[in-house]
């Protein structure tokens, strides 16, 4: 698995001549061969793109929207970002690296463009912002060379097809679990959608008209939240002229996931110096899931917080957006820490001093893309600094400088964006997992309780951390004599789960996810080195791949067919299946892991015995065991796809088409500065089956699809309330301004000219939007305001 890169040179023509040499003729077929070679080089990228396009078309995405989004991505993100990245890096390495880092840089630049355009009211000119980069790079001679740099090294075709395959696999997964299941817009009164998506859509709509963002469901309420994701969505709308629901429900997630795969591959190759560490890292990040030994695996079985793969890509759009930025940040920080190593690593040119500028850009964007990114990165860098200081007894000034850049970005986000909001997260050691060893009756002995605690921690590692075991041979072989970049990756890998174990709250699970790219990069590095040392011949490599696929298929089938019986058996081994204990949910995974470990031990003994007579087996059992261990997490992805064929995910709720139609009518007949008032405050799960009673204030549909601010809609996600709910939605909390809520409700149920005048004059309300399932309006309203829309379910009244 060593690097297969080679310096790009012109192929020699027959007879020793080179094409273009003076006085020498060029064979007629040489030009055709060159064209075919170029087509072959770009075939993997084209195949992955066309495959995704086919899936999007199959999921009722219009060809026009796909074309416009492609234009937006190329013109508004890739082109300016690539030019700036080329100007900052010292020497070119590979074209795919320039494009991947360039796209990540473009995401940062569009944030700056948005911050420039919005205060000036120039949203309509958003399509022209890349000219701020393009014109200088076309006009300044010193910058003009970055349009067509030379000296690229070619990736092997195998590398390119492997990365393209990872992109295609991810696209196919998204199609199966989401794109083919959820329409862009509701099609009837029973259409279901994942509960948080309207809220996230409303933030993107707000980003089109407000600087900085406010909470759309409570007009004027500051939004102390990581909202850069929604600026990106808004820019997609303003530059590409694409409807926001299309961006959210179809285009953004596959595109950003593809970018995440590419940036992971190039960062792994850059930091390790091993080409095939790239595809391995990409597969580990995006295809290897959690080890749960459970099917079906719905939200209720997310034992240790948010999962690292699966539907989280749509549930948490901020996670999807932040991952490419975080991995790019790891790449440039790691490059600044690199030391010259023997072998392939020396062939990777350093980015140079521009790495510090890029660190600042990616850190600034990451700071409010996902709040968990920078703390984990800072912790990894601090760990690297400590270890280098201990090892060399010198202050690592490079690490100090990088830390200052990251610290400044974190301070900016904490003070300016988050306004020091904690969202209710508290330092409570093991607060997120102590429920699994709880013993309120003190019925266990100290020894038994110690075993339960240890088993819980093992289950946590199994659940999220299997994909990082590739680092073990690297750490073992180096005897922990690591380079600074390796200490940095190890520190980040440990800091993520450590933060989850130390900080209480569901949202702290994103620290675990933020730590995984660090661990995966180190894991792919270690796996590639172990693979190289094994020196497998071609047939053995094919056998290893076939064996891994067979293991994945067998585990997937067994879990799909027999997981319920297995769970009952595993629980029965440790007590009565009818008696629920605190650790019962962990038993299926723990017992399954023990069984697999036993099988691995037996296979290892058999391998050792056979190797005494078959020398070719000697020294190669480790890579087989390592491959099998990493493959154990893959069935989770396949099981999700199988599950999607039968049921929708937990957390979906009814979003009737008539409500969305009303909101979009308002969008077409109102000004962005208009404020709406509504009587809809409840999470309309199952269409108000219990009448207008509400105990979950998460109504977001009106703000989402009207792209307007609502005086009071659903307030459960207001930062000031989430801080009182441990970072979770404050579903039952009362609205903080009782007088304003009373005025709002009286406008619908006890309207008077004075009440409507106060709403219009004091709070700039233009439309009253009645959701009749929540409660029918007073007949008096028709005499006091002009009815401008009514589809039976939703009525809209205009205030003069």
């Amino acid at each position: 698995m060593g690097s297969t890169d080679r310096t790009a040179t012109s192929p020699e023509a027959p007879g020793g001549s080179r094409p273009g040499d003076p006085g020498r003729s060029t064979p007629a077929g040489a030009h055709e061969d060159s064209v075919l070679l170029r087509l072959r080089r770009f075939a993997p990228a084209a195949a992955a793109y066309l495959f995704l396009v086919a899936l999007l078309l199959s999921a009722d995405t219009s060809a026009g929207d796909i074309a416009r989004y492609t234009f937006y991505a190329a013109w508004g993100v890739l082109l300016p970002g690539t030019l700036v990245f080329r100007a900052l890096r010292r020497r070119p390495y590979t074209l795919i690296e320039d494009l991947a880092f360039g796209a990540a840089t473009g995401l940062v630049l569009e944030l700056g463009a948005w911050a420039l355009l919005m205060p000036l009211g120039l949203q309509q000119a958003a399509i022209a912002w890349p000219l701020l980069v393009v014109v200088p790079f076309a006009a300044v001679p010193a910058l003009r060379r970055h349009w067509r740099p030379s000296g690229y090294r070619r990736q092997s075709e195998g590398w390119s097809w492997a990365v393209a395959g990872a992109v295609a696999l991810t696209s196919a997964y998204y199609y199966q679990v989401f794109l083919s299941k959820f329409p862009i817009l509701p099609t009837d009164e029973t259409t279901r959608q994942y509960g948080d998506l309207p809220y996230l859509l409303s933030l993107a709509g707000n980003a089109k008209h407000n600087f900085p963002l406010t909470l759309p469901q409570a007009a004027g309420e500051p939004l102390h939240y990581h909202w850069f994701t929604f600026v990106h969505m808004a820019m997609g709308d303003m530059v590409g002229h694409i409807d926001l629901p299309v961006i959210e429900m179809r285009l953004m997630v596959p595109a950003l996931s593809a970018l995440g795969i590419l940036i992971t591959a190039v960062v792994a190759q850059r930091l390790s110096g091993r080409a095939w560490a790239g595809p391995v890292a990409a597969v580990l990040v995006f295809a290897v899931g959690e080890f749960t030994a459970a099917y079906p695996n719905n939200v209720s079985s997310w034992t240790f917080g948010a999962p690292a793969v699966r539907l989280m890509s749509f549930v948490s759009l901020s996670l999807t957006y932040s991952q490419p930025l975080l991995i790019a940040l790891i790449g440039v920080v790691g490059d600044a820490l690199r030391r010259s190593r023997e072998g392939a690593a020396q062939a990777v040119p350093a980015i140079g001093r521009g790495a510090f500028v890029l660190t600042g850009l990616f850190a600034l964007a990451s700071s409010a893309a996902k709040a968990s990114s920078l703390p984990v990165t800072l912790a990894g860098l601090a760990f690297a600094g400590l270890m280098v200081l201990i090892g060399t007894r010198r202050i690592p000034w490079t690490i100090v400088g990088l830390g200052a850049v990251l610290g400044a970005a974190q301070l900016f986000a904490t003070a300016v964006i988050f306004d020091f909001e904690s969202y209710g997260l508290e330092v409570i050691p093991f607060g997120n997992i102590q429920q699994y060893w709880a013993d309120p009756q003190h019925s266990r002995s100290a020894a038994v309780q110690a075993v339960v605690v240890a088993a819980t921690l093992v289950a946590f590692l199994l659940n999220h951390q299997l994909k990082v075991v590739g680092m073990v041979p690297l750490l073992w072989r180096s005897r922990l004599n690591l380079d600074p970049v390796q200490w940095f990756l190890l520190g980040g890998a440990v800091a993520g789960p450590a933060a989850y174990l130390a900080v209480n709250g569901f949202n702290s699970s994103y620290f675990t996810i933020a730590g995984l790219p660090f661990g995966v990069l180190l894991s792919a590095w270690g796996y590639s080195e172990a693979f190289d040392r094994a020196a497998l011949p071609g047939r053995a490599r094919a056998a290893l791949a076939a064996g891994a696929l067979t293991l994945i298929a067998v585990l997937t089938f067994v879990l799909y067919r027999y997981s319920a019986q297995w769970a009952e058996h595993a629980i029965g081994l440790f007590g009565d299946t009818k008696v629920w204990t605190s650790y019962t949910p962990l038993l299926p995974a723990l017992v399954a892991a023990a069984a697999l470990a036993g099988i691995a031990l037996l296979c290892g003994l058999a391998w050792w015995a056979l190797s005494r007579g078959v020398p070719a087996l000697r020294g190669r059992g480790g890579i087989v065991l390592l491959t099998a261990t990493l493959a154990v997490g893959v069935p989770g992805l396949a099981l999700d796809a199988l599950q999607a064929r039968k049921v929708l995910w937990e957390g979906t709720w009814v979003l009737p088409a008539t409500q969305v139609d009303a909101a979009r009518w308002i969008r077409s007949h109102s000004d962005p500065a208009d404020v709406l008032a509504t009587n809809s405050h409840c999470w309309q799960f199952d269409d108000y089956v219990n009448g207008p009673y509400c105990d979950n204030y998460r109504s977001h549909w009106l703000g989402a699809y009207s792209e307007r601010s609502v005086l009071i809609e659903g307030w459960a996600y207001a930062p000031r309330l989430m801080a009182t709910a441990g970072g979770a939605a404050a579903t039952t909390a009362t609205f903080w301004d009782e007088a304003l809520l009373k005025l709002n409700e009286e406008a619908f149920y006890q309207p008077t000219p004075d009440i409507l005048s106060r709403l219009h004059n004091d709070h700039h309300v233009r439309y009253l939007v009645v959701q009749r399932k929540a409660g029918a309006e007073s007949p008096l309203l028709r005499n006091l305001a002009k009815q401008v829309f009514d589809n039976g379910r939703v009525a809209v009244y205009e205030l003069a």
Side-chain angles (χ1 to χ4, degrees), residues 79-92 98 101-102 105 109 133 136-137 140 142-149 152 351-355 357-358 361:
L79 176 60
T82 301
L83 290 173
V84 170
F85 175 75
R86 285 172 174 171
L88 290 173
R89 59 109 169 95
R90 180 182 298 163
R91 283 188 294 156
D98 269 12
F101 271 110
T105 305
L109 296 178
V133 175
F137 274 80
V140 179
L143 297 176
R144 212 173 289 155
R145 62 189 177 88
H146 296 300
W147 286 93
R148 297 189 65 182
Y152 282 132
I351 291 175
R353 294 181 180 179
V357 179
L358 290 167
L361 292 176

Side-chain angles (χ1 to χ4, degrees), residues 42-63:
F42 290 101
Y49 172 77
L50 293 175
F51 180 67
L52 176 57
V53 167
L55 295 177
L56 290 171
L57 292 172
S58 180
D60 297 322
T61 314
S62 74

Side-chain angles (χ1 to χ4, degrees), residues 95-357:
L95 175 60
I96 188 63
E97 180 180 82
D98 269 12
L99 296 178
F101 271 110
T105 305
L107 293 178
V108 183
L109 296 178
E110 79 170 357
L111 292 173
W114 176 86
L116 176 65
L117 295 171
M118 291 297 294
L120 300 176
L122 297 177
Q123 295 95 317
Q124 298 300 319
I127 193 172
W129 86 259
L131 293 175
L132 297 175
V133 175
V134 169
V135 170
F137 274 80
V140 179
L143 297 176
R144 212 173 289 155
R145 62 189 177 88
H146 296 300
W147 286 93
R148 297 189 65 182
S150 59
Y152 282 132
R153 302 183 185 189
R154 296 176 187 170
Q155 298 285 15
S156 70
E157 288 190 40
W159 190 98
S160 299
W161 279 110
V163 174
V167 172
L169 175 65
T170 304
S171 300
Y173 167 76
Y174 287 142
Y175 176 80
Q176 180 63 27
V177 302
F178 191 90
L179 300 178
S180 65
K181 300 297 179 182
F182 297 95
I184 297 172
L185 294 172
T187 55
D188 55 40
E189 299 304 278
T190 61
T191 299
R192 302 182 74 87
Q193 189 182 86
Y194 197 87
D196 283 354
L197 286 177
Y199 172 66
L200 304 179
L201 183 66
S202 73
L203 300 184
N206 192 270
K208 289 172 59 178
H209 311 298
N210 290 279
F211 177 87
L213 270 65
T214 58
L215 184 67
Q217 288 73 33
E221 177 74 3
L223 185 68
H224 306 306
Y225 183 67
H226 43 236
W227 43 256
F228 284 3
T229 307
F230 312 105
V231 170
H232 169 65
M233 295 173 65
M235 289 295 283
D237 180 308
M238 293 188 290
V239 174
H241 298 290
I242 310 161
D243 204 5
L244 279 177
V246 179
I247 294 176
E248 179 184 59
M249 302 294 290
R250 290 294 181 268
L251 302 172
M252 185 179 80
V253 170
L256 287 175
S257 295
L259 175 58
I261 289 172
L262 294 178
I263 198 73
T264 299
V266 300
V267 166
Q269 179 172 344
R270 168 165 284 278
L271 297 187
S272 70
R274 296 176 178 274
W276 277 92
V280 171
V283 170
L284 291 178
V285 167
F286 290 93
V288 179
E290 297 72 42
F291 182 78
T292 62
Y295 177 86
N297 190 21
N298 259 327
V299 175
S300 59
S301 64
W302 290 356
T303 313
F304 295 104
V309 203
R310 308 187 183 130
L311 197 59
M312 285 308 297
S313 297
F314 278 94
V315 173
S316 178
L317 297 179
S318 56
L319 173 64
T320 306
Y321 172 77
S322 67
Q323 277 199 318
L325 292 169
L326 172 59
I327 296 167
L329 177 61
I330 296 170
V332 294
V333 171
D335 187 80
L337 298 176
R338 279 197 309 145
R339 288 178 178 172
S340 180
R341 294 184 299 275
E342 294 182 0
Q346 293 181 341
V348 182
I351 291 175
R353 294 181 180 179
F356 284 86
V357 179

